[in-house]
Amino acid sequence: MIEAAMVWNEPNNTSHWDFGVDPGWHIFAQMARAAGDAIHSEAPGVQRVLGGISPIDARFIAHMKGLGVLDSMDVVAVHGFPLDWNLWSIEDWPQRLAAVQAVTELPVWVTEVGISTFAGDAVQAEGLTRTAEVLRGRADRVHWYSLFDLPGQWEATTRHKQREGSSYFRHFHMGLVREDGTPKPAMDVFAQHAGELGICQWFHYEDHRLDDAVRWLRKLGVKKLRTGLSWSDDDRPNSLAWFDRQMKALEEFDVTVTFCFTPEHRGMVPHYTSPPKDVGEFVDFCARMVRRYGR
């Protein structure tokens, strides 16, 4: 069921890892090494992926290599959003990937790339076409972010929230499907590239969109899906029942599952981005999930 396991998400982004609490990422490195080793011990056939970085920074990958993290990984990953949050263009993708490839021999996957419809549907459709063209043959795996728009009543996973202004509200318009269930023009464009592009779609605890997502993925012919199992959900009532339901629904796809988000009471500070007080607790979560859902 799980083809690949990603250790954390965007560890060089303060909205996902508090490197103010962990300057130099030494706690992160200890945690990632141990998690990678535990995943391999439980399921040697599951590929281990270092959490996709955003921004794309080859120096960060080199730093992880120096800390021994890449010895416990099979893949490194990057995320890029050149028309929304990055100060570079779609045409810069080849040099961004080449910079990371120059500091590691591991394969480099693009596990999130997307374009919002904040500025209009045509921007997303045209940008998807060009992104597929530019990335073709340059990465072994590319996941488009995302299938669904984020519901307006939810919060985006970002530290600064509405203080980010328009940057924050772009999070709500990244999908190929609107909140009301209607497809955007880019859906037809994606369908033309579904054989080479995967989807990245996060599901919240007991997410009402899960079954609809499976129907859309089947309709599009998507084979590869990236999603997450949140450590912070592990203490919720009936968490295992939700995890089982989610993974059962997705079992027909080649799933890259991301393990991340610290339960507040287990963090060095009470926030999902916090380094854990005991990295072994996160490692144990990864091991349990891979033992239960790994191939």
Side-chain angles (χ1 to χ4, degrees):
M1 189 180 302
I2 295 177
E3 179 189 37
M6 179 176 284
V7 178
W8 216 258
N9 180 65
E10 300 186 1
N12 65 331
N13 183 335
T14 190
S15 289
H16 294 272
W17 183 262
D18 192 339
F19 43 84
V21 175
D22 179 28
W25 289 272
H26 294 284
I27 299 172
F28 177 80
Q30 177 191 1
M31 184 182 78
R33 289 194 307 265
D37 293 343
I39 290 166
H40 182 72
S41 178
E42 293 289 345
V46 170
Q47 298 184 83
R48 302 162 297 173
V49 186
L50 177 63
I53 60 171
S54 180
I56 299 175
D57 183 357
R59 296 169 299 175
F60 181 79
I61 297 299
H63 183 49
M64 291 296 103
K65 183 176 182 179
L67 292 174
V69 174
L70 301 195
D71 294 336
S72 298
M73 300 292 156
D74 303 299
V75 178
V76 299
V78 300
H79 298 168
F81 301 90
L83 296 187
D84 287 282
W85 297 300
N86 300 141
L87 300 177
W88 44 274
S89 76
I90 292 173
E91 306 305 321
D92 292 337
W93 265 112
Q95 70 186 62
R96 298 282 167 174
L97 288 175
V100 175
Q101 291 162 342
V103 299
T104 177
E105 296 180 355
L106 297 179
V108 180
W109 291 359
V110 179
T111 49
E112 284 186 31
V113 56
I115 298 167
S116 79
T117 51
F118 185 83
D121 288 351
V123 174
Q124 185 185 57
E126 294 168 8
L128 197 163
T129 297
R130 187 57 188 147
T131 298
E133 293 170 347
V134 169
L135 287 176
R136 184 174 294 123
R138 298 185 184 277
D140 294 339
R141 187 73 54 83
V142 179
H143 287 273
W144 185 261
Y145 178 82
S146 60
L147 179 62
F148 293 135
D149 275 352
L150 187 66
Q153 70 272 25
W154 293 2
E155 284 192 341
T157 305
T158 177
R159 177 175 289 275
H160 303 295
K161 309 298 182 186
Q162 287 88 342
R163 286 176 292 168
E164 296 178 359
S166 65
S167 292
Y168 176 76
F169 293 102
R170 290 173 183 269
H171 287 280
F172 293 84
H173 303 278
M174 301 300 295
L176 300 173
V177 180
R178 299 181 183 89
E179 186 178 355
D180 65 7
T182 58
K184 302 177 185 179
M187 178 66 79
D188 291 336
V189 179
F190 182 88
Q192 299 170 25
H193 301 281
E196 56 188 313
L197 298 178
I199 282 282
C200 174
Q201 178 61 56
W202 296 93
F203 296 103
H204 287 216
Y205 178 69
E206 297 186 338
D207 198 319
H208 66 281
R209 306 170 301 170
L210 178 61
D211 294 334
D212 283 342
V214 171
R215 285 191 284 269
W216 274 112
L217 295 171
R218 287 174 179 161
K219 182 177 180 179
L220 288 167
V222 170
K223 301 300 183 185
K224 298 188 182 297
L225 172 70
R226 177 178 170 240
T227 190
L229 291 177
S230 173
W231 182 31
S232 64
D233 287 340
D234 195 36
D235 289 331
R236 290 180 182 267
N238 303 314
S239 61
L240 195 57
W242 163 245
F243 291 155
D244 284 349
R245 179 175 172 240
Q246 178 181 342
M247 298 310 292
K248 177 67 175 176
L250 303 177
E251 65 181 353
E252 67 193 80
F253 306 102
D254 295 328
V255 176
T256 295
V257 65
T258 305
F259 302 128
C260 60
F261 298 149
T262 304
E264 288 192 358
H265 68 285
R266 296 184 182 180
M268 296 175 65
V269 296
H271 198 270
Y272 63 84
T273 64
S274 175
K277 299 172 185 176
D278 179 357
V279 299
E281 292 182 342
F282 174 73
V283 173
D284 176 68
F285 174 73
C286 295
R288 286 189 286 113
M289 294 299 100
V290 171
R291 188 183 313 133
R292 193 172 186 88
Y293 306 117
R295 288 180 171 175

mmCIF file of all heavy atoms in Angstrom, residues 5-8 28-29 31-37 39-40 46-51 64 68-77 104 106-107 282:
data_model
loop_
_atom_site.group_PDB
_atom_site.id
_atom_site.type_symbol
_atom_site.label_atom_id
_atom_site.label_comp_id
_atom_site.label_asym_id
_atom_site.label_seq_id
_atom_site.Cartn_x
_atom_site.Cartn_y
_atom_site.Cartn_z
ATOM 1 N N ALA A 5 7.791 6.418 1.992
ATOM 2 C CA ALA A 5 7.481 7.107 3.244
ATOM 3 C C ALA A 5 8.353 8.348 3.332
ATOM 4 O O ALA A 5 9.584 8.258 3.276
ATOM 5 C CB ALA A 5 7.731 6.190 4.441
ATOM 6 N N MET A 6 7.716 9.495 3.463
ATOM 7 C CA MET A 6 8.430 10.764 3.561
ATOM 8 C C MET A 6 8.538 11.180 5.019
ATOM 9 O O MET A 6 7.544 11.199 5.743
ATOM 10 C CB MET A 6 7.713 11.845 2.744
ATOM 11 C CG MET A 6 8.380 13.211 2.821
ATOM 12 S SD MET A 6 7.592 14.458 1.769
ATOM 13 C CE MET A 6 8.213 13.963 0.164
ATOM 14 N N VAL A 7 9.751 11.507 5.425
ATOM 15 C CA VAL A 7 10.006 11.920 6.797
ATOM 16 C C VAL A 7 9.899 13.438 6.880
ATOM 17 O O VAL A 7 10.768 14.179 6.441
ATOM 18 C CB VAL A 7 11.397 11.444 7.258
ATOM 19 C CG1 VAL A 7 11.675 11.919 8.677
ATOM 20 C CG2 VAL A 7 11.486 9.919 7.177
ATOM 21 N N TRP A 8 8.780 13.888 7.398
ATOM 22 C CA TRP A 8 8.413 15.286 7.615
ATOM 23 C C TRP A 8 8.076 15.965 6.292
ATOM 24 O O TRP A 8 8.126 15.366 5.210
ATOM 25 C CB TRP A 8 9.479 16.049 8.400
ATOM 26 C CG TRP A 8 8.884 17.058 9.334
ATOM 27 C CD1 TRP A 8 8.806 18.415 9.153
ATOM 28 C CD2 TRP A 8 8.240 16.791 10.579
ATOM 29 N NE1 TRP A 8 8.149 19.006 10.210
ATOM 30 C CE2 TRP A 8 7.784 18.019 11.111
ATOM 31 C CE3 TRP A 8 7.982 15.624 11.301
ATOM 32 C CZ2 TRP A 8 7.101 18.124 12.308
ATOM 33 C CZ3 TRP A 8 7.317 15.712 12.501
ATOM 34 C CH2 TRP A 8 6.889 16.947 13.001
ATOM 35 N N PHE A 28 16.331 17.777 14.263
ATOM 36 C CA PHE A 28 15.688 17.221 13.075
ATOM 37 C C PHE A 28 16.534 16.115 12.463
ATOM 38 O O PHE A 28 16.007 15.052 12.082
ATOM 39 C CB PHE A 28 15.424 18.305 12.029
ATOM 40 C CG PHE A 28 14.832 17.742 10.764
ATOM 41 C CD1 PHE A 28 13.479 17.456 10.697
ATOM 42 C CD2 PHE A 28 15.642 17.464 9.666
ATOM 43 C CE1 PHE A 28 12.934 16.898 9.548
ATOM 44 C CE2 PHE A 28 15.105 16.906 8.514
ATOM 45 C CZ PHE A 28 13.747 16.618 8.448
ATOM 46 N N ALA A 29 17.818 16.334 12.349
ATOM 47 C CA ALA A 29 18.696 15.335 11.749
ATOM 48 C C ALA A 29 18.687 14.041 12.551
ATOM 49 O O ALA A 29 18.621 12.936 11.984
ATOM 50 C CB ALA A 29 20.112 15.883 11.636
ATOM 51 N N MET A 31 16.293 12.950 14.460
ATOM 52 C CA MET A 31 14.976 12.351 14.270
ATOM 53 C C MET A 31 14.848 11.702 12.896
ATOM 54 O O MET A 31 14.343 10.573 12.760
ATOM 55 C CB MET A 31 13.909 13.435 14.448
ATOM 56 C CG MET A 31 12.486 12.942 14.370
ATOM 57 S SD MET A 31 11.272 14.301 14.534
ATOM 58 C CE MET A 31 11.351 14.996 12.863
ATOM 59 N N ALA A 32 15.290 12.393 11.854
ATOM 60 C CA ALA A 32 15.158 11.883 10.493
ATOM 61 C C ALA A 32 16.005 10.639 10.281
ATOM 62 O O ALA A 32 15.569 9.676 9.626
ATOM 63 C CB ALA A 32 15.535 12.970 9.489
ATOM 64 N N ARG A 33 17.226 10.638 10.811
ATOM 65 C CA ARG A 33 18.075 9.442 10.684
ATOM 66 C C ARG A 33 17.400 8.239 11.335
ATOM 67 O O ARG A 33 17.332 7.145 10.747
ATOM 68 C CB ARG A 33 19.441 9.680 11.331
ATOM 69 C CG ARG A 33 20.348 10.630 10.594
ATOM 70 C CD ARG A 33 21.784 10.540 11.113
ATOM 71 N NE ARG A 33 21.870 10.714 12.567
ATOM 72 C CZ ARG A 33 22.125 11.881 13.167
ATOM 73 N NH1 ARG A 33 22.304 12.973 12.431
ATOM 74 N NH2 ARG A 33 22.194 11.966 14.481
ATOM 75 N N ALA A 34 16.918 8.435 12.555
ATOM 76 C CA ALA A 34 16.304 7.328 13.280
ATOM 77 C C ALA A 34 15.020 6.853 12.596
ATOM 78 O O ALA A 34 14.745 5.656 12.528
ATOM 79 C CB ALA A 34 16.024 7.742 14.722
ATOM 80 N N ALA A 35 14.231 7.798 12.087
ATOM 81 C CA ALA A 35 12.996 7.427 11.398
ATOM 82 C C ALA A 35 13.295 6.661 10.115
ATOM 83 O O ALA A 35 12.643 5.651 9.813
ATOM 84 C CB ALA A 35 12.166 8.673 11.093
ATOM 85 N N GLY A 36 14.273 7.132 9.357
ATOM 86 C CA GLY A 36 14.643 6.429 8.138
ATOM 87 C C GLY A 36 15.104 5.013 8.413
ATOM 88 O O GLY A 36 14.728 4.066 7.706
ATOM 89 N N ASP A 37 15.897 4.842 9.452
ATOM 90 C CA ASP A 37 16.376 3.505 9.802
ATOM 91 C C ASP A 37 15.230 2.607 10.258
ATOM 92 O O ASP A 37 15.179 1.419 9.912
ATOM 93 C CB ASP A 37 17.445 3.600 10.899
ATOM 94 C CG ASP A 37 18.733 4.271 10.419
ATOM 95 O OD1 ASP A 37 18.921 4.376 9.193
ATOM 96 O OD2 ASP A 37 19.533 4.684 11.278
ATOM 97 N N ILE A 39 12.024 2.871 9.418
ATOM 98 C CA ILE A 39 11.192 2.534 8.256
ATOM 99 C C ILE A 39 11.820 1.393 7.474
ATOM 100 O O ILE A 39 11.143 0.432 7.080
ATOM 101 C CB ILE A 39 11.002 3.777 7.369
ATOM 102 C CG1 ILE A 39 10.104 4.800 8.084
ATOM 103 C CG2 ILE A 39 10.412 3.409 6.006
ATOM 104 C CD1 ILE A 39 10.123 6.184 7.467
ATOM 105 N N HIS A 40 13.114 1.459 7.268
ATOM 106 C CA HIS A 40 13.802 0.401 6.520
ATOM 107 C C HIS A 40 13.742 -0.929 7.263
ATOM 108 O O HIS A 40 13.581 -1.993 6.646
ATOM 109 C CB HIS A 40 15.256 0.792 6.276
ATOM 110 C CG HIS A 40 16.007 -0.218 5.467
ATOM 111 N ND1 HIS A 40 15.796 -0.404 4.117
ATOM 112 C CD2 HIS A 40 16.976 -1.122 5.832
ATOM 113 C CE1 HIS A 40 16.593 -1.353 3.679
ATOM 114 N NE2 HIS A 40 17.312 -1.812 4.699
ATOM 115 N N VAL A 46 10.042 -0.247 1.118
ATOM 116 C CA VAL A 46 9.481 1.102 1.076
ATOM 117 C C VAL A 46 10.602 2.120 0.927
ATOM 118 O O VAL A 46 11.561 2.111 1.698
ATOM 119 C CB VAL A 46 8.662 1.386 2.357
ATOM 120 C CG1 VAL A 46 8.281 2.859 2.439
ATOM 121 C CG2 VAL A 46 7.403 0.521 2.387
ATOM 122 N N GLN A 47 10.490 2.980 -0.071
ATOM 123 C CA GLN A 47 11.499 4.011 -0.275
ATOM 124 C C GLN A 47 11.362 5.100 0.786
ATOM 125 O O GLN A 47 10.253 5.528 1.109
ATOM 126 C CB GLN A 47 11.356 4.624 -1.664
ATOM 127 C CG GLN A 47 11.564 3.635 -2.795
ATOM 128 C CD GLN A 47 11.501 4.301 -4.148
ATOM 129 O OE1 GLN A 47 12.491 4.870 -4.634
ATOM 130 N NE2 GLN A 47 10.343 4.252 -4.770
ATOM 131 N N ARG A 48 12.491 5.550 1.299
ATOM 132 C CA ARG A 48 12.516 6.582 2.330
ATOM 133 C C ARG A 48 12.859 7.919 1.681
ATOM 134 O O ARG A 48 13.882 8.039 1.002
ATOM 135 C CB ARG A 48 13.548 6.228 3.397
ATOM 136 C CG ARG A 48 13.296 4.881 4.063
ATOM 137 C CD ARG A 48 14.535 4.374 4.770
ATOM 138 N NE ARG A 48 15.637 4.139 3.828
ATOM 139 C CZ ARG A 48 16.886 3.827 4.194
ATOM 140 N NH1 ARG A 48 17.188 3.729 5.472
ATOM 141 N NH2 ARG A 48 17.821 3.626 3.280
ATOM 142 N N VAL A 49 12.002 8.918 1.919
ATOM 143 C CA VAL A 49 12.128 10.214 1.254
ATOM 144 C C VAL A 49 12.333 11.298 2.305
ATOM 145 O O VAL A 49 11.544 11.409 3.246
ATOM 146 C CB VAL A 49 10.870 10.534 0.417
ATOM 147 C CG1 VAL A 49 11.084 11.815 -0.394
ATOM 148 C CG2 VAL A 49 10.497 9.361 -0.479
ATOM 149 N N LEU A 50 13.387 12.070 2.146
ATOM 150 C CA LEU A 50 13.572 13.228 3.018
ATOM 151 C C LEU A 50 12.513 14.262 2.675
ATOM 152 O O LEU A 50 12.307 14.596 1.511
ATOM 153 C CB LEU A 50 14.968 13.824 2.826
ATOM 154 C CG LEU A 50 15.262 15.098 3.635
ATOM 155 C CD1 LEU A 50 15.195 14.827 5.134
ATOM 156 C CD2 LEU A 50 16.630 15.672 3.251
ATOM 157 N N GLY A 51 11.825 14.776 3.701
ATOM 158 C CA GLY A 51 10.724 15.717 3.500
ATOM 159 C C GLY A 51 11.013 16.768 2.463
ATOM 160 O O GLY A 51 12.053 17.444 2.518
ATOM 161 N N MET A 64 22.130 18.499 5.301
ATOM 162 C CA MET A 64 21.580 17.207 5.725
ATOM 163 C C MET A 64 22.552 16.070 5.409
ATOM 164 O O MET A 64 22.721 15.136 6.198
ATOM 165 C CB MET A 64 20.243 16.947 5.029
ATOM 166 C CG MET A 64 19.100 17.861 5.477
ATOM 167 S SD MET A 64 18.639 17.654 7.225
ATOM 168 C CE MET A 64 19.435 19.114 7.952
ATOM 169 N N GLY A 68 24.594 13.381 8.089
ATOM 170 C CA GLY A 68 24.364 11.943 7.954
ATOM 171 C C GLY A 68 22.943 11.546 7.646
ATOM 172 O O GLY A 68 22.631 10.354 7.590
ATOM 173 N N VAL A 69 22.055 12.520 7.409
ATOM 174 C CA VAL A 69 20.648 12.199 7.173
ATOM 175 C C VAL A 69 20.457 11.418 5.879
ATOM 176 O O VAL A 69 19.674 10.460 5.818
ATOM 177 C CB VAL A 69 19.803 13.486 7.149
ATOM 178 C CG1 VAL A 69 18.352 13.188 6.752
ATOM 179 C CG2 VAL A 69 19.847 14.171 8.505
ATOM 180 N N LEU A 70 21.184 11.780 4.831
ATOM 181 C CA LEU A 70 20.971 11.135 3.540
ATOM 182 C C LEU A 70 21.411 9.677 3.540
ATOM 183 O O LEU A 70 20.995 8.899 2.672
ATOM 184 C CB LEU A 70 21.698 11.907 2.431
ATOM 185 C CG LEU A 70 21.301 13.382 2.254
ATOM 186 C CD1 LEU A 70 21.811 13.911 0.921
ATOM 187 C CD2 LEU A 70 19.804 13.589 2.388
ATOM 188 N N ASP A 71 22.238 9.284 4.514
ATOM 189 C CA ASP A 71 22.608 7.872 4.627
ATOM 190 C C ASP A 71 21.415 7.008 5.002
ATOM 191 O O ASP A 71 21.440 5.790 4.797
ATOM 192 C CB ASP A 71 23.705 7.693 5.685
ATOM 193 C CG ASP A 71 25.015 8.355 5.295
ATOM 194 O OD1 ASP A 71 25.243 8.540 4.079
ATOM 195 O OD2 ASP A 71 25.798 8.698 6.202
ATOM 196 N N SER A 72 20.370 7.638 5.563
ATOM 197 C CA SER A 72 19.167 6.907 5.972
ATOM 198 C C SER A 72 17.986 7.188 5.053
ATOM 199 O O SER A 72 16.841 6.911 5.408
ATOM 200 C CB SER A 72 18.795 7.276 7.416
ATOM 201 O OG SER A 72 19.833 6.915 8.311
ATOM 202 N N MET A 73 18.250 7.744 3.866
ATOM 203 C CA MET A 73 17.210 8.067 2.893
ATOM 204 C C MET A 73 17.543 7.432 1.545
ATOM 205 O O MET A 73 18.699 7.130 1.250
ATOM 206 C CB MET A 73 17.079 9.588 2.724
ATOM 207 C CG MET A 73 16.704 10.330 3.996
ATOM 208 S SD MET A 73 15.024 9.964 4.543
ATOM 209 C CE MET A 73 15.182 10.345 6.307
ATOM 210 N N ASP A 74 16.515 7.266 0.737
ATOM 211 C CA ASP A 74 16.678 6.764 -0.626
ATOM 212 C C ASP A 74 16.389 7.835 -1.673
ATOM 213 O O ASP A 74 16.772 7.679 -2.838
ATOM 214 C CB ASP A 74 15.726 5.577 -0.856
ATOM 215 C CG ASP A 74 15.928 4.460 0.143
ATOM 216 O OD1 ASP A 74 17.041 3.900 0.181
ATOM 217 O OD2 ASP A 74 14.988 4.158 0.899
ATOM 218 N N VAL A 75 15.720 8.898 -1.248
ATOM 219 C CA VAL A 75 15.268 9.952 -2.162
ATOM 220 C C VAL A 75 15.289 11.270 -1.406
ATOM 221 O O VAL A 75 15.049 11.302 -0.189
ATOM 222 C CB VAL A 75 13.821 9.674 -2.656
ATOM 223 C CG1 VAL A 75 13.325 10.796 -3.578
ATOM 224 C CG2 VAL A 75 13.713 8.321 -3.353
ATOM 225 N N VAL A 76 15.566 12.369 -2.100
ATOM 226 C CA VAL A 76 15.302 13.702 -1.554
ATOM 227 C C VAL A 76 14.217 14.335 -2.416
ATOM 228 O O VAL A 76 14.004 13.936 -3.572
ATOM 229 C CB VAL A 76 16.567 14.589 -1.512
ATOM 230 C CG1 VAL A 76 17.632 13.965 -0.630
ATOM 231 C CG2 VAL A 76 17.105 14.854 -2.908
ATOM 232 N N ALA A 77 13.512 15.301 -1.851
ATOM 233 C CA ALA A 77 12.374 15.874 -2.556
ATOM 234 C C ALA A 77 12.373 17.386 -2.440
ATOM 235 O O ALA A 77 12.898 17.953 -1.472
ATOM 236 C CB ALA A 77 11.062 15.300 -1.998
ATOM 237 N N THR A 104 23.940 15.700 -4.261
ATOM 238 C CA THR A 104 23.570 14.364 -3.798
ATOM 239 C C THR A 104 23.449 13.417 -4.984
ATOM 240 O O THR A 104 23.063 13.825 -6.087
ATOM 241 C CB THR A 104 22.237 14.373 -3.023
ATOM 242 O OG1 THR A 104 21.891 13.029 -2.650
ATOM 243 C CG2 THR A 104 21.106 14.954 -3.855
ATOM 244 N N LEU A 106 21.424 10.857 -4.657
ATOM 245 C CA LEU A 106 20.078 10.305 -4.525
ATOM 246 C C LEU A 106 19.143 10.895 -5.577
ATOM 247 O O LEU A 106 19.328 12.032 -6.018
ATOM 248 C CB LEU A 106 19.522 10.605 -3.130
ATOM 249 C CG LEU A 106 20.253 9.994 -1.935
ATOM 250 C CD1 LEU A 106 19.578 10.403 -0.632
ATOM 251 C CD2 LEU A 106 20.312 8.473 -2.042
ATOM 252 N N PRO A 107 18.126 10.135 -5.991
ATOM 253 C CA PRO A 107 17.121 10.707 -6.895
ATOM 254 C C PRO A 107 16.438 11.908 -6.248
ATOM 255 O O PRO A 107 16.262 11.953 -5.022
ATOM 256 C CB PRO A 107 16.127 9.556 -7.088
ATOM 257 C CG PRO A 107 16.851 8.317 -6.691
ATOM 258 C CD PRO A 107 17.842 8.726 -5.647
ATOM 259 N N PHE A 282 8.241 10.089 17.745
ATOM 260 C CA PHE A 282 7.947 10.229 16.315
ATOM 261 C C PHE A 282 8.444 9.009 15.547
ATOM 262 O O PHE A 282 7.759 8.493 14.663
ATOM 263 C CB PHE A 282 8.593 11.489 15.755
ATOM 264 C CG PHE A 282 8.447 11.629 14.256
ATOM 265 C CD1 PHE A 282 7.224 11.964 13.700
ATOM 266 C CD2 PHE A 282 9.526 11.412 13.415
ATOM 267 C CE1 PHE A 282 7.081 12.081 12.311
ATOM 268 C CE2 PHE A 282 9.398 11.529 12.039
ATOM 269 C CZ PHE A 282 8.171 11.870 11.485
#
